Amino acid sequence: MRAFLVILALTTCSFLRAETGYDAWLRYPPLDSATMPSYSRLPAVVFAPGKSTVIDSAKQELVRGVRRLLGRTLREESGLPEEDAIVLITYDALPGVAVGIEIPSQQVEGSYFLKALTRRGHRLLIVAGADERGVLYGTFALLRRIALHGEIENLDEKDAPYAPVRWTNEWENLDGSIERGYAGRSIFFDNGHVVGDLTRARDYARLLASVGINGCTVSNVNANPHMLTSEFIPELARLAGAFRPWGVRMAISIDFGSPKEIGGLDTFDPLDPRVIAWWKQKVDEVYAAIPDLGGFVLKADSEGRAGPSTYGRTHADAANVIGRALKPHGGLLFYRGFVYNHHMDWRNLKNDRASAAWDNFHDLDGKFDDNVIVQIKYGPIDFQVREPVSPLFGALHATNVAIELQVTQEYTGQQRHLCYLAPMWKEVLDFDLHADDGPTPVKALVSGRVFYHPTGGFVAVSNVGLDANWLGNDLAMANLYSFGRLAWNPDLSARDAVQEWTRLTFGDDVRVVDAIVGMQLESWPAYEDYTGFLGVGGLTDILGVHYGPGIESSERNGWGQWHRADEHGIGMDRTVATGTGFVAQYSPPLAHEYESLAECPDNLLLFMHHVPYTYQLHSGKTVIQHIYDSHYDGAARAQTFPERWRQLRGRIDEQRYQAVLARLEYQAGHAMVWRDAICDWFAKTSGIPDARERVGNHPDRIEGESMTLDGYTVEPITPWETASGGKAIGCPQPSCSVSFQWKGKPGWYRIAVQYFDERDGVSSYRLSAAGQLIDEWLANNDLPSDKPNGHTSTRRTITGVALRPGDGIRIDATPDAKDRADIDYVDIVPNLQQGETAILRR
Amino acid sequence: MRAFLVILALTTCSFLRAETGYDAWLRYPPLDSATMPSYSRLPAVVFAPGKSTVIDSAKQELVRGVRRLLGRTLREESGLPEEDAIVLITYDALPGVAVGIEIPSQQVEGSYFLKALTRRGHRLLIVAGADERGVLYGTFALLRRIALHGEIENLDEKDAPYAPVRWTNEWENLDGSIERGYAGRSIFFDNGHVVGDLTRARDYARLLASVGINGCTVSNVNANPHMLTSEFIPELARLAGAFRPWGVRMAISIDFGSPKEIGGLDTFDPLDPRVIAWWKQKVDEVYAAIPDLGGFVLKADSEGRAGPSTYGRTHADAANVIGRALKPHGGLLFYRGFVYNHHMDWRNLKNDRASAAWDNFHDLDGKFDDNVIVQIKYGPIDFQVREPVSPLFGALHATNVAIELQVTQEYTGQQRHLCYLAPMWKEVLDFDLHADDGPTPVKALVSGRVFYHPTGGFVAVSNVGLDANWLGNDLAMANLYSFGRLAWNPDLSARDAVQEWTRLTFGDDVRVVDAIVGMQLESWPAYEDYTGFLGVGGLTDILGVHYGPGIESSERNGWGQWHRADEHGIGMDRTVATGTGFVAQYSPPLAHEYESLAECPDNLLLFMHHVPYTYQLHSGKTVIQHIYDSHYDGAARAQTFPERWRQLRGRIDEQRYQAVLARLEYQAGHAMVWRDAICDWFAKTSGIPDARERVGNHPDRIEGESMTLDGYTVEPITPWETASGGKAIGCPQPSCSVSFQWKGKPGWYRIAVQYFDERDGVSSYRLSAAGQLIDEWLANNDLPSDKPNGHTSTRRTITGVALRPGDGIRIDATPDAKDRADIDYVDIVPNLQQGETAILRR
């Protein structure tokens, strides 16, 4: 009966779910009739000797994939038949089936080869893996090849993962919330327990396995000690069962204070024999329930978490006490390098959060056990849109390390903005830290290839949620896909990865593929342009939701994401000569380059140096003009996204088309919020005007506070730069209206209303021109603030409005709950006349 | 606030409803950027002088349509502006706006012209109507022109409806059920009342108006007298308000016994002064509440309905008593010509239901008042797939008539089968009854053009329901669209109508348009081929749901749909010489043709004559071989539909793609049920084998009763021809299984399971081959029977199964409620090898 329900779910899901994005890149759409014949000679039989849950998953996936792609059901034979066959097999079993096949000498975990050959008159298609995971990865590779219309008649391909650690972290809490998650609640936990229905967990494990990911930490690094209690361990064991068939080792985050919190001890000193014994006993207990647990992730001594400093012990002491308990079970301990003091004195210009990881860990190199991995964020700060590579990767020569990336777009638009991160990751992974003689790119350092560590690799914080499309935005799934593909093979180009993803996710229409690949590749540079600049970092609401602009929130507090902008200049001086000295953490060639104002690359200038706004960049522009120009350029680039997407209408299923369009339209508007906030703040602070006279000069803009108000009142906005002119208007009564007379020339216009869509109510707006109702909408987006500010500022654009001089423009608004239907301004510009595309949601 | 909600619904519906089919042919998708510039000079202003609810609808529709098609919001001006403008105007107001425009001499209701011209330096686009409906129809014509990418710069077009009556009838009951409705429950009534939310009613009125329909009878012809009670009239008035803005006159069906049923009289004798007074008073009361009511529809003396025969009065007496009450209000009385005795003695070979309409009405010609219309079904029987044209159309020279067609596919597949009826309607409408000197095609007769009646025209039973796509099948909407277009202009070709509909409904992709138009045009001939033949009629379950095969249900009862098939021959002898004499109802040239066995067209042969099975047709085939061949041909044609539809994947939105595919796959299977039932019955009855050895010869078929049964028991099926071999197997216990060994050659096969999907439970099935689960499904289709028979027989086809000799094939079934998971047979045939398309729902 269970098998019945499972298969029924699989056969009906693609129909019922249609194109919700749930199937992601594993849609396996039927090949068209022109392509189908290329696979007519695919064997009818699949044979997979031996017993293995993972190989059984591979076999089922092959049967399902071939059924959906080619409309055929492969026969699952229990012995090698006297006919053509696909053979799923591990290297060690291969000689028993087909003698004389050369087995690759490199047999790392997960490696595989695919080979078409003939034996005794029968064509065999061998999918052989060094281990059961290798068979699974080879099977996904074969299905991917067919889905991408690749040749299989003369198949001869082998592949191996670049590094042993290819993990995701999920910052999910036991109550079902997700820290920095932007796609709904947890797929693992709810209300203090593991959820009853693990379908989503199983399907997520399958997605991860399909791109070679082999581990998943399911709980928040800000860990809940309750997870290690004896009551909870059986729940974890049930959850691990959802990952096991797909060769994904489940892991959990732990709290270092556990011996005291839940163990009944009065200490969690890692050198205390009782603590050592407690960890040993606890780990044994966990492994008795989950023999293949991947291990633990530990965030200690960071942002208020318990850590070894309480007892004057080192991070190595902390890591090793747990690592040693894990060792007999083959478990790993990921010790996060994200350790810093968040109560630093901002007045001391020598203080520097960027230095913290290196300061904390470089002396401990060689002190960590061989099943401990120091997990290091890619930059020295915290997932900013642009950071230098963390120098710590170059400093740990005798320690396992892993790089921590983010699929969840904490600081890069939270999936409301398209921001394809693989190009950034590629820059980081290919960056040579000059840690040794010869090339030492980060990818080689973290995978242990430079200093020959036993383990290490790639970790991404993913934070998928209950939204049908996993990340809340269909296009954001390119990040998850590309992370997996790059963790397997960091030499893959970002373009190749996203092109592959696009074809699997949206099909082969060349206009669709070109448009999506183009937008994805432009999205990170665009996001950097309209939010950050020159490596400055920290321009968002650092103390809160990390989303919209909030320039001063970085300053005058202990969190250390300082940019030091004032009326004279901007940038953190991290030089040895005059600054914090952080630059010295890099190897001499890099330290020299960063130390030198003349040699420091423009895009990291303000990370390394403090300069006046008039400082001239290598580009020839002054810093201040670069700020203005890059923000206008980036926002203009974002404006093109909805228009380019609209060209795909009818070439993409309507459901995903509309969902993505809504996000891209929102992004186009919010990019302007960012542009104006940053330009206005720096124009005011520096006192230097935009040479091109755009900043602060909006002839087409009518401020709410300058309109005729009926019920509305003017209110200041905090921070001031997130509203045009620093003010907006809010409605403190059941309904209000606002109006003005328009004085331009007759023509077709585009009216944009900049308003604030708070999460504490659903206000409604109606816009009329010359007494005619033109548009109406609800402020019902789920944005991360209940205040009018840069997180909630939203643009509604109404195209194709015919205006005549003297027309009255009027907005009637009905506030709801605590949302006061705030309005910032209205912007009226001529409409495009030729080839103009309609707003499609009308 | 009301305006707010209305517009909000309009602007969001296309987004929220995406492509559910709700928007039907009024989708107004944005033009692509290549087409958009053709309309850049469209005026920005719309001006509609005067006050008219209908013209206001036209204006709103124009604004909405242009906004969606072109992304622009037209300005609604209250005076003619000093600039280019679109002017919506009636002929009488035209001189005040633009002097010197030639107004058409023909000014029938609803006529209009569209003209681009220049006045005082401004370009005016005039949409002028003889009346407010004309303005509305002209506006829809303009929007249709833009949606079809037509030229508008030099617009000069005029059009007028062919006939004044262009109505639909909806057979909806007050309890919310719909007689012969196949798309969910009523959009007008529920639980004895008019529904609270009239959105669907309003949107339906808009759909009707968009194709020129100007009247709608909202209630079942088998009428509920309660509708005329004083309590109910206010509810009707509210419903009429939903139709009024779209120029659609609402009407209701009435019960002739009302004076007695609800009036407190002891009689309903139409000549009784109290009855006359009652009708007068009642009609006045209704019109006081609904001044623009279209009138009444009356089914009297038919199928048990009360009628004038009770008192020995004529149909004219009955019609006129009500007609005279309606007359002062401008109301029409539609008196249904569908009057016959359903207790006829089937043993009397002179009895003939086909003669009834003519017999009942031809003597009354000239006796009906001029606001009475005799509403006559297109054929003399009842909406069969093939009938001769009703001779009554030619017999009423001094009486208003209307033709009654069916959009709801009562006898033509009930929207589960694709059956585009416009080609049939065209044959009927163009058919010359030789009723007078010169041409007298039916379209001219019913529109009053031959004998110059004051009114008359076209009525279709539509029966839309609460299903989002109105008729339950997106493709069936072509029938509603084409009915309206043909009622407006019966000279339009069926191909042009469906091509227009396809482009508006599914877009301009030439592969999509060609495929859909092709299937639509082939669908009625295919349906006729696999269900009926040679005009025989009556092969379905006449006594019940009028759906699947049920050959003998026509015979040996009083309903008169006899085909007289026995072991010797088949057909109703309706000749004057030896038969019922029906043929004499036609004018001499036609009567001569039908009377003559030699001259009677093949496709009506068995409607007019009784012949032996060996009778040779004009085609050269015998009758019996024609039966076999046409059913195999028709079923084969239906097999092509899903395959052709699958070629459109990705070119149609996924939601409608999947919904239609499911219907077409079902149809392909059910066409074979029809084929086999009819071929088997006639092979057995005639004793004459199929010359091509297909009938009864199914080498690939394994009967359920010949398999190894585990729990299943063999049971006879009624009627026997609806199961292969007359038997099936049913499971009388909680679960059963059935198996057999397969003995064919190795290869790829297609396995079809013929089972019975009853409406009284949802059984589940699992199919395994060689021990491997291949497919599983639920019997959850909503088919119109709770028995295993020709209504419920359903085919599940599993493509691409690799079979080897000796494989065990096994079905495990779990019955549910009263559905016993019946199975008829399994059919195994080689799969297509090249260019084969997968079953997409996997």
Side-chain angles (χ1 to χ4, degrees), chain A residues 4 7 73 75 83 776 807, chain B residues 4 73 75 776 800 804 807:
Chain A
F4 174 70
I7 298 237
T73 302
R75 288 173 69 86
E83 63 172 294
E776 52 194 322
D807 277 354
Chain B
F4 174 71
T73 302
R75 289 172 70 86
E776 52 193 324
R804 302 293 177 261
D807 277 353

Side-chain angles (χ1 to χ4, degrees), chain B residues 116-236:
Chain B
L117 49 83
T118 302
R119 281 294 180 278
R120 295 195 298 164
H122 299 309
R123 296 166 56 253
L124 299 184
L125 209 166
I126 305 283
V127 179
D131 52 15
E132 56 180 18
R133 279 194 189 86
V135 176
L136 180 62
Y137 301 148
T139 301
F140 276 115
L142 174 61
L143 284 169
R144 187 162 58 228
R145 178 173 273 266
I146 297 174
L148 295 173
H149 308 177
E151 196 275 330
I152 60 162
E153 291 281 324
N154 305 297
L155 199 51
D156 188 4
E157 171 186 324
K158 62 181 175 182
D159 208 350
Y162 192 88
V165 169
R166 306 178 303 279
W167 283 45
T168 67
N169 284 184
E170 317 290 335
W171 290 351
E172 316 209 5
N173 299 317
L174 291 194
D175 65 2
S177 64
I178 305 178
E179 184 164 337
R180 313 297 177 189
Y182 310 107
R185 288 170 59 81
S186 171
I187 65 173
F188 305 133
F189 306 113
D190 190 29
N191 196 26
H193 295 279
V194 170
V195 296
D197 179 359
L198 290 175
T199 305
R200 290 294 301 254
R202 275 191 295 268
D203 289 347
Y204 184 50
R206 172 173 165 251
L207 278 181
L208 295 180
S210 74
V211 286
I213 292 171
N214 61 356
C216 177
T217 304
V218 294
S219 59
N220 193 351
V221 290
N222 293 318
N224 186 334
H226 180 67
M227 290 193 78
L228 282 181
T229 60
S230 300
E231 308 94 82
F232 201 80
I233 288 169
E235 299 199 31
L236 287 177

Side-chain angles (χ1 to χ4, degrees), chain B residues 595-769:
Chain B
E595 181 80 9
S596 160
L597 191 54
E599 291 182 31
C600 185
D602 282 354
N603 63 20
L604 290 175
L605 179 73
L606 302 183
F607 196 93
M608 304 296 182
H609 297 272
H610 185 86
V611 298
Y613 293 108
T614 52
Y615 178 79
Q616 191 173 352
L617 300 169
H618 296 119
S619 69
K621 288 182 183 173
T622 61
V623 166
I624 190 70
Q625 194 59 38
H626 175 92
I627 294 174
Y628 300 146
D629 289 352
S630 63
H631 283 81
Y632 271 84
D633 290 351
R637 185 72 58 95
Q639 303 315 302
T640 71
F641 292 165
E643 190 64 30
R644 289 151 81 183
W645 186 257
R646 281 192 200 100
Q647 304 301 320
L648 308 183
R649 194 174 196 212
R651 296 169 180 271
I652 288 176
D653 53 283
E654 191 71 7
Q655 187 165 357
R656 291 188 297 173
Y657 171 83
Q658 293 288 0
V660 169
L661 178 62
R663 296 262 166 165
L664 294 175
E665 286 181 338
Y666 167 79
Q667 177 180 13
H670 200 233
M672 285 192 267
V673 173
W674 265 101
R675 177 196 73 190
D676 290 350
I678 290 185
C679 289
D680 288 353
W681 194 92
F682 283 98
K684 181 176 176 187
T685 303
S686 71
I688 302 171
D690 171 19
R692 293 171 64 187
E693 297 183 348
R694 297 157 301 187
V695 177
N697 183 19
H698 305 285
D700 304 318
R701 185 175 294 185
I702 303 100
E703 295 290 345
E705 51 273 28
S706 73
M707 301 175 191
T708 303
L709 308 184
D710 181 358
Y712 265 111
T713 58
V714 176
E715 51 191 32
I717 297 298
T718 306
W720 67 266
E721 70 271 19
T722 60
S724 188
K727 292 177 193 152
I729 55 174
C731 175
Q733 57 190 54
S735 70
C736 297
S737 69
V738 62
S739 58
F740 59 94
Q741 201 182 46
W742 188 76
K743 301 192 172 78
K745 291 185 205 160
W748 287 107
Y749 288 88
R750 190 176 287 244
I751 301 180
V753 179
Q754 198 74 33
Y755 67 104
F756 296 90
D757 186 344
E758 302 169 18
R759 68 167 15 154
D760 53 359
V762 177
S763 298
S764 58
Y765 297 84
R766 284 193 293 163
L767 181 119
S768 310

